Amino acid sequence: AVWGIPTAVCAFLIHSVRLKRLDGWLAREMGNQRGAAGNTNTAAAKQG
């Protein structure tokens, strides 16, 4: 059981870092999609 504690702590830290990176990637992707959709709608509104 003593050997399991450091392994669990390392796994938790690695997983936390990966989730943080995933959150950042998703935020950038959502920002890009919103920006692209906003630009398309704005361009259509200007033409109409």
Side-chain angles (χ1 to χ4, degrees):
V2 175
W3 287 97
I5 294 170
T7 303
V9 170
C10 288
F12 176 77
L13 291 175
I14 291 168
H15 190 63
S16 297
V17 169
R18 291 183 57 144
L19 286 176
K20 188 71 172 168
R21 290 181 62 206
L22 177 63
D23 284 343
W25 180 79
L26 287 174
R28 284 192 304 273
E29 287 294 316
M30 293 302 291
N32 289 343
Q33 287 179 359
R34 288 182 183 166
N39 291 340
T40 303
N41 293 337
T42 305
K46 289 180 182 178
Q47 292 176 356

